Amino acid sequence: MSGRFAIKKIRARDPNEPNRTSTTLELLFDLVYVIAVSAAASGFHERLSEHDFSGFLTFVIAFFILWNAWTSFTWFASGYDPDDWYYRLSVMLQMFGSLMIAANINQFFEQGLTWIGVTGYAIMRLSLCSQWWRVYRQVPDHKKVAGRSMVGLLTLQAIWISWLFLPASIQTPALFVFILAELLMPVWARAEHSNNWNPVHIAERYGLFTIIVLGEGVVGVSKSVQYFLSNSADAAGPIIVLGLSLVSLVFALWWLYFNVPFDTILKKEHHRHDLFLFGYGHFFIFATLAGLGSALNLVNESSAASNTVLSMHSQPYAMGVLMSLLAMFLLALALLRALMYRQSKHNVIAFTIALAIISVSYWAVTQNLPITYGIWLSLLAPITMIGYFHRNNKLLQNKSS
C-alpha cells in the first residue's frame, strides 16, 4: 500500500519533539471517559446520600478501573503514535473496550466488576498488544519493553478472566492483589525505557483529563441551581449566592491545578521515576476531583431546607463531605508538586494554611452558618495555595532561564 493507506514503520517518538500536542483522535478517545467518570461519580453520590461511607472504597476501585485503562492508552500514544490507519483502527477498538468498561461502571456500585468490564479490558489490551507487537518487531532498542508489556498485559488479562470464576468469598481480597499487580506491571515493563514520553504532551493529556473530572463539578453546580430553582420559594437571591459560590470553587480548583507548571517541571526534572510518580500521583487528584463533584450534589439537597424529604442531608453533613474531599485534593496536589519539584519550600506552608481555612469553614457551618457562606469561606483555601504556588513558580522560571 502507499499514501494514506500505508502502514507506517512504527518508531519511538522523540521525547523532545517540539509542538507535540494532543491529537483529535486522543480527544475523541477521551469522550468515552466523560461517560465513565460521570457513572462513577453518580454511584458515589448515591452512596453518600445514604450515608454509606463504604461507598468511598467502591468509588476508588471503580475509578481505578477506568483510570488504569485511560493511562495505558495515553502513555503508549505519547511514546509511539504512528497515526496510520492500522493504529487508528486499533484505537477505535480500544474505544469500544472503554465503552464496555464505562457500562460496567454504571453497574459497579450494585454488582461490582462483571464480565462486561473484563471483556472491555480484554478488547483494549489485545488492541494495545497489536501495537506493542509492532514496536517489538520494528524498534530494536525497545524490544525488551515491548516484549515485557505484551507479556504483562496478556498475563494480567488472564488473571482477571480467572477472577470471574473465583469463589465469592475470595474475590474481594483477590481484587486488591490484582490491582497491585496492575500497578507493578508498568514498573517492571518500562524498567529500561521509562523516558520514552514527551513531557509537554503528557502534561497536556493529564490536564485534559483534569478538565473531564472538573466537569463533574460543573454538572454538580448545574444540578444545584436547577434543584434550588425548583424547590425554593424564594429562588432569586439564594440561586445567585449559592450558584456563584459553587462556580467560584470549581473555578478556583481549575486555576490552582493549572497554576502548577507540570510541563516545565517534567522537562526540568525528567527522571525515570517521573513516569510513575506523575502518572500514579494523578490518580488521587483525579479521584478526589470527581468525588468532589459528587459532593456538590449533596449541597443542593441540604440547601433546600424547606423540603422535608431531604432533611436527612443536613448542612454540616454535606459540608463535611465536601470539605473532606477538598482537603484530600489539595493534599494530593501539594504532595505531588513537592515530590516532583523538590526545590519548592512552599507546599507544606500553603497546604497547612489551606487546611486551617477548611477546618474553620466546616466548624462555622456546624455553628449554624448557612452552607453557602461556608463555601464562600472555604474558597480562601485554594486561593491561598494559588498565591503561594504563583510566587514559587516565578523562582522556577528564573532558575530555568
Side-chain angles (χ1 to χ4, degrees), residues 248-249 251-257 259-260 326 329-331 333-334 337 344-361 375-393:
S248 299
L249 180 60
F251 189 82
L253 298 182
W254 163 81
W255 196 328
L256 176 61
Y257 175 85
N259 193 253
V260 181
L326 176 60
F329 165 72
L330 297 181
L331 176 61
L333 184 61
R337 187 180 186 276
S344 172
K345 299 179 180 179
H346 293 121
N347 297 286
V348 175
I349 297 173
F351 176 72
T352 302
I353 296 173
L355 185 61
I357 293 170
I358 289 171
S359 301
V360 171
S361 302
I375 294 171
W376 277 112
L377 181 59
S378 71
L379 269 171
L380 294 174
I383 290 173
T384 298
M385 293 184 70
I386 289 170
Y388 269 95
F389 288 176
H390 180 71
R391 183 170 60 181
N392 199 220
N393 289 344

Side-chain angles (χ1 to χ4, degrees), residues 271-307:
H271 303 296
R272 61 184 300 166
H273 56 260
D274 285 341
L275 182 151
F276 311 106
L277 180 62
F278 180 80
Y280 290 174
H282 265 79
F283 169 78
F284 301 98
I285 291 174
F286 294 155
T288 51
L289 278 177
L292 194 141
S294 302
L296 290 181
N297 288 319
L298 295 177
V299 174
N300 60 53
E301 297 171 357
S302 66
S303 297
S306 60
N307 192 329

Side-chain angles (χ1 to χ4, degrees), residues 12 80 135-136 138-146 192-193:
Y80 300 98
V135 176
Y136 182 83
Q138 300 174 359
V139 188
D141 292 344
H142 290 239
K143 199 167 188 175
K144 192 169 185 178
V145 66
E192 294 187 8
H193 288 284

Side-chain angles (χ1 to χ4, degrees), residues 22 24 46 64 100 121 130 134 140-141 155 170 184 219 234 245 254 280 293 318-319 330 357-358 377:
S22 297
T24 55
E46 290 179 8
F64 173 84
M100 295 187 71
Y121 256 105
S130 73
R134 296 175 70 184
D141 292 344
T155 302
I170 64 172
L184 293 177
V219 172
D234 236 354
S245 70
W254 163 81
Y280 290 174
M319 188 67 175
L330 297 181
I357 293 170
I358 289 171
L377 181 59

